[in-house]
Amino acid sequence: MSDHDHDHEHDEFHNPTDSEIRAKAVESLLAEKGLLSTDAVDEIVDQYENNDGPMNGARVVARAWTDPEYKHRLLENGGDAVAELGYGDEHSARLVVVENTPRIHNVIVCTLCSCYPWSVLGLPPEWYKSETYRARVVKEPRVVLSEFGLELDDSIEVRVWDSLSELRYMVLPERPEGTDHMTEEELAALISRDAMIGVAKAGNG
């Protein structure tokens, strides 16, 4: 399933914020004056939301899967570890990386607004910013995860982490079985933005 299909299925999670409405109005005005192409804007947003941005985080995860010492540093101090690979938080917020295991599944949210580690995950998806997701994933995380297609065994503990302006979270997904032979670059291709938010698992192709 593509991110576009996924976003479409979860349209109920999104209600436009005032800032989004203003941004859309400015975009429309510039387009009317011939100063901006809406197709160009959509292409740039799509690239950063679904490709370039999340690939930063995917490279971080792939490195952690293949380098135990780097993984230790990542879990000890996420900001310093991602900076080793050239990524940094433009808002100077602290980055905490939480690890999924066979017994624990983590999912992130920002209940106040849409705080999010842009430098490693790209632009936040529309559903992440929605009031519906922000409220429901805290109260009924298993139900919300199942609506994303992620069914978890009752024996797995689900932990929800609430991001703040000065504190951002990122999920370190479990490494899929049967990937021991894969290179770091090949592993990075298995890691989606949604897996690093916690609403999906990393794929194994």
Side-chain angles (χ1 to χ4, degrees):
M1 180 183 296
S2 71
D3 284 332
H4 292 298
D5 293 338
H6 202 207
D7 289 347
H8 179 72
E9 289 183 4
H10 295 279
D11 284 344
E12 72 271 18
F13 285 140
H14 182 61
N15 293 312
T17 64
D18 289 343
S19 60
E20 289 172 328
I21 292 171
R22 287 195 297 271
K24 196 66 178 178
V26 171
E27 178 187 330
S28 298
L29 180 61
L30 291 174
E32 286 177 12
K33 293 182 176 294
L35 299 175
L36 182 70
S37 164
T38 55
D39 288 342
V41 172
D42 290 343
E43 184 177 343
I44 292 170
V45 170
D46 179 73
Q47 183 70 14
Y48 193 65
E49 180 177 299
N50 298 308
N51 296 305
D52 291 346
M55 278 308 299
N56 293 346
R59 293 185 188 102
V60 169
V61 172
R63 176 66 58 86
W65 283 351
T66 56
D67 184 339
E69 292 184 0
Y70 180 77
K71 176 182 174 180
H72 177 76
R73 295 196 299 275
L74 182 67
L75 296 175
E76 284 289 311
N77 188 318
D80 285 353
V82 301
E84 291 180 31
L85 301 187
Y87 314 127
D89 194 313
E90 62 276 20
H91 302 294
S92 299
R94 180 184 174 212
L95 176 65
V96 173
V97 179
V98 290
E99 181 184 12
N100 283 352
T101 72
R103 295 178 178 272
I104 298 172
H105 184 87
N106 299 283
V107 60
I108 62 175
V109 66
C110 177
T111 55
L112 292 178
C113 50
S114 58
C115 295
Y116 184 85
W118 290 39
S119 62
V120 284
L121 297 190
L123 296 175
E126 297 299 324
W127 53 262
Y128 181 86
K129 298 181 286 185
S130 72
E131 292 182 6
T132 305
Y133 173 79
R134 285 154 45 199
R136 290 186 57 215
V137 76
V138 174
K139 296 178 180 178
E140 47 182 9
R142 289 181 184 275
V143 175
V144 171
L145 291 177
S146 69
E147 292 172 4
F148 278 89
L150 180 57
E151 301 287 348
L152 298 175
D153 190 271
D154 290 342
S155 64
I156 298 175
E157 178 186 353
V158 178
R159 296 179 180 177
V160 181
W161 300 87
D162 191 0
S163 296
L164 302 169
S165 60
E166 70 276 9
L167 177 62
R168 312 290 169 90
Y169 291 97
M170 169 182 164
V171 173
L172 174 60
E174 285 187 85
R175 180 171 178 167
E177 295 182 1
T179 60
D180 293 346
H181 65 288
M182 299 179 73
T183 66
E184 200 171 303
E185 183 177 353
E186 290 171 333
L187 288 170
L190 304 180
I191 303 157
S192 69
R193 175 204 63 198
D194 287 4
M196 294 181 284
I197 295 174
V199 297
K201 289 191 175 184
N204 58 11

